[in-house]
Amino acid sequence: MKFILNILWLILCGFWMALGYVLAGIVCCILIITIPFGIASFRIAGYALWPFGRTTVERRDAGAGSVIGNIIWIVFAGWWLALGHIVTGIALCVTIIGIPFGIANFKMIPISLLPLGREIVPTDQPFATR
């Protein structure tokens, strides 16, 4: 079932959302200082491309650097990506078939705003990294 959901997700919105994250990652990697943001953006692009069967958990070893990095991320790229998830989620919720995908888009807003200090893990082991 996860495979079918992921294929439908990819067709309906996953490709475009992942493309947005890849674009943000490329822009972040152009500057040397923002390479960690680019890496986080590429990591989330993979999650945005194929989200079903995976979830995000907070990393306990993330410190003050990730908090400061998340603030910088929100200002420069996070709110644009979150806005993309909101618009896509609303558009998908217009149809009955798209409602689960719209809800999945809304669930991705927190990680698009605060990507640092989070880890993407399979859903069968969400507490393995804690």
Side-chain angles (χ1 to χ4, degrees), residues 29-106:
C29 285
I30 289 173
L31 302 171
I32 303 292
I33 295 173
T34 56
I35 287 177
F37 302 121
I39 293 170
S41 185
F42 293 139
R43 185 172 33 100
I44 299 169
Y47 180 59
L49 197 60
W50 206 257
F52 293 100
R54 299 190 291 171
T55 188
T56 61
V57 294
E58 292 182 25
R59 291 181 48 198
R60 298 287 181 184
D61 59 346
S66 66
V67 173
I68 294 168
N70 279 330
I71 293 170
I72 295 169
W73 173 263
I74 288 172
V75 171
F76 290 108
W79 72 277
W80 286 101
L81 294 168
L83 186 64
H85 282 295
I86 291 170
V87 170
T88 306
I90 291 171
L92 285 170
C93 284
V94 170
T95 65
I96 292 175
I97 294 173
I99 290 174
F101 301 111
I103 292 171
N105 253 310
F106 296 139

Side-chain angles (χ1 to χ4, degrees), residues 1-3 5-6 47 50-57 104 107 119-130:
M1 187 65 169
K2 288 185 259 184
F3 180 75
L5 288 172
N6 278 322
Y47 180 59
W50 206 257
F52 293 100
R54 299 190 291 171
T55 188
T56 61
V57 294
K107 288 181 181 179
E119 189 172 353
I120 300 167
V121 296
T123 54
D124 56 350
Q125 54 178 335
F127 301 107
T129 59
R130 288 186 179 182

